């Protein structure tokens, strides 16, 4: 997988304890319980947030009988949301120690520790004993694993039950990158620009791992609109954000949002939703 320090080049993954500033601003203090709904504005790091998870629930018919593997789970927002909405159980796997620690805390404070379990590790090397899942999800995680991507997909597949389903949302390469775009992808996207797959290359990787691709949806337009709207809302909330956090964090995140938006505007990076199942 990507080196830990490479991932930390992505400014969204820096200063992750800023979530506690958000909770303090809402009136939550110390280490007490929180309403899960109050986490949704900042614990979803993927572009489309909880509406994407509502689509996941509908398309996969997710319910309380399902065990879910959340690969590259970040702050655990997806796992908590799915557990809260459906009653499913989830294992949230994250490789960054600070992100993992915050995710565990948020799950405990939101009262979902009996439904969401956290594990820290690299999905390329993760070893689970006697664990099989009905569903595996990977949302904006595979972009960071570089040349380990095939190994990561195979390892995820290993833990999915025969006939189980998978749901992926990822960056895809839509045209050759310029040198400037490669710099943005590496420096700000914490990704190897020379290994970002096309849609067809993703399809081939999943199929070679024993997965049947049932649906591939081009999400580029929706992600482009969402990236632009994210900047607009972020800039509009500058005064409030700086009061809760600080100017440095605002500038860092603003820089990240603008650099990502530039890639979508240039149409060199697109979005892809993949849904499928493991062969019986």
């Amino acid at each position: 997988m990507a080196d830990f320090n490479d991932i930390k080049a992505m400014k969204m993954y820096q200063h992750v304890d800023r979530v506690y500033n958000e909770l303090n601003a809402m009136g939550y203090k110390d280490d007490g319980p929180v309403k899960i709904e109050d986490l949704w504005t900042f614990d979803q790091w993927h572009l489309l947030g909880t509406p994407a998870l509502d689509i996941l629930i509908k398309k996969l018919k997710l319910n309380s009988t399902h065990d879910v593997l959340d690969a590259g789970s970040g702050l655990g927002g997806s796992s908590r949301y799915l557990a809260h909405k459906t009653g499913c159980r989830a294992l949230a796997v994250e490789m960054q120690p600070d992100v993992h620690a915050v995710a565990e805390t948020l799950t405990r404070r939101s009262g979902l520790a009996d439904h969401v379990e956290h594990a820290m590790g690299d999905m390329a090397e993760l070893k689970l004993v006697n664990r099989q899942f009905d569903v595996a999800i990977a949302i904006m995680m595979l972009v960071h694993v570089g040349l380990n991507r095939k190994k990561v997909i195979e390892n995820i597949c290993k833990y999915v039950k025969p006939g189980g389903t998978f749901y992926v949302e990822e960056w895809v390469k839509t045209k050759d990158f310029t040198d400037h775009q490669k710099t943005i992808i590496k420096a700000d996207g914490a990704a190897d620009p020379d290994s970002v797959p096309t849609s067809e290359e993703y399809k081939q990787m999943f199929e070679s791992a024993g997965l049947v691709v049932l649906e591939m949806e081009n999400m580029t337009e929706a992600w482009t609109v969402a990236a632009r709207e994210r900047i607009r809302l972020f800039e509009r909330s500058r005064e409030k954000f700086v009061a809760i956090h600080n100017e440095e964090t605002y500038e860092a995140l603003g820089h990240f949002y603008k650099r990502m938006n530039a890639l979508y505007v240039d149409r060199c990076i697109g979005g892809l939703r993949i849904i499928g199942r493991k062969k019986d």
Side-chain angles (χ1 to χ4, degrees), residues 150-243:
K150 185 174 183 292
K151 185 177 181 181
V152 169
I153 291 172
E154 290 172 348
N155 207 31
I156 292 172
C157 179
K158 181 171 69 176
Y159 295 113
V160 177
K161 296 175 182 177
T165 54
F166 67 93
Y167 179 101
V168 174
E169 288 191 10
E170 267 305 336
W171 263 11
V172 290
K173 179 180 179 179
T174 55
K175 64 180 182 181
D176 290 340
F177 302 132
T178 65
D179 289 343
H180 178 63
Q181 289 162 348
K182 286 183 177 182
T183 298
I184 294 175
I185 291 167
K186 184 174 183 179
D188 298 289
D192 174 12
D194 295 323
S195 71
V196 178
T198 64
S199 297
E200 186 56 33
E201 287 169 341
Y202 261 125
K203 184 173 186 290
Q204 292 171 3
M205 277 187 274
F206 281 111
E207 289 177 341
S208 68
L211 302 168
V212 179
V213 175
L214 302 175
E215 181 179 326
M216 294 177 65
E217 183 178 354
N218 186 338
M219 301 298 296
T220 302
E221 186 58 35
W223 286 16
T224 301
V225 171
R228 183 172 62 243
E229 180 67 1
R230 178 169 64 180
I231 292 174
R232 187 185 71 82
L233 293 175
F234 186 69
E235 291 180 342
R236 193 172 72 179
S237 66
R238 176 174 186 145
E239 183 176 349
K240 178 181 178 181
F241 186 96
V242 171

Side-chain angles (χ1 to χ4, degrees), residues 129-140:
V129 178
N130 298 323
R131 294 294 296 269
Q132 288 275 279
F133 298 87
D134 304 289
V135 174
I137 69 173
I139 301 178
M140 290 303 293

Side-chain angles (χ1 to χ4, degrees), residues 4-68:
F4 173 71
N5 292 319
D6 291 340
I7 290 178
K8 281 303 182 191
M10 193 168 177
K11 289 181 170 56
M12 181 178 284
Y13 297 157
Q14 299 173 9
H15 309 296
V16 294
D17 57 354
R18 65 183 181 271
V19 301
Y20 299 131
N21 296 340
E22 296 282 355
L23 290 174
N24 289 339
M26 291 178 187
Y28 292 110
K29 301 299 180 185
D30 301 323
D31 199 35
V34 300
K35 293 180 181 178
I36 186 168
E37 295 89 345
D38 287 338
L39 302 180
W40 295 341
T41 57
F42 55 82
D43 73 348
Q44 307 289 327
W45 279 348
H46 48 280
L47 262 175
L48 298 185
T50 57
L53 300 178
D54 290 330
I55 292 172
L56 184 162
I57 291 169
K58 181 177 180 180
K59 286 184 175 289
L60 272 56
K61 297 181 172 58
L62 201 66
N63 61 55
S64 61
T65 69
H66 289 134
D67 288 312
V68 178

Side-chain angles (χ1 to χ4, degrees), residues 70 73 91-95 100 104 117-121 126 128:
D70 184 359
S73 53
L91 174 64
V93 181
E94 172 56 45
M95 76 169 293
H100 165 76
E104 274 195 315
E117 178 186 356
H118 292 268
M120 190 178 74
L126 188 71
L128 301 173

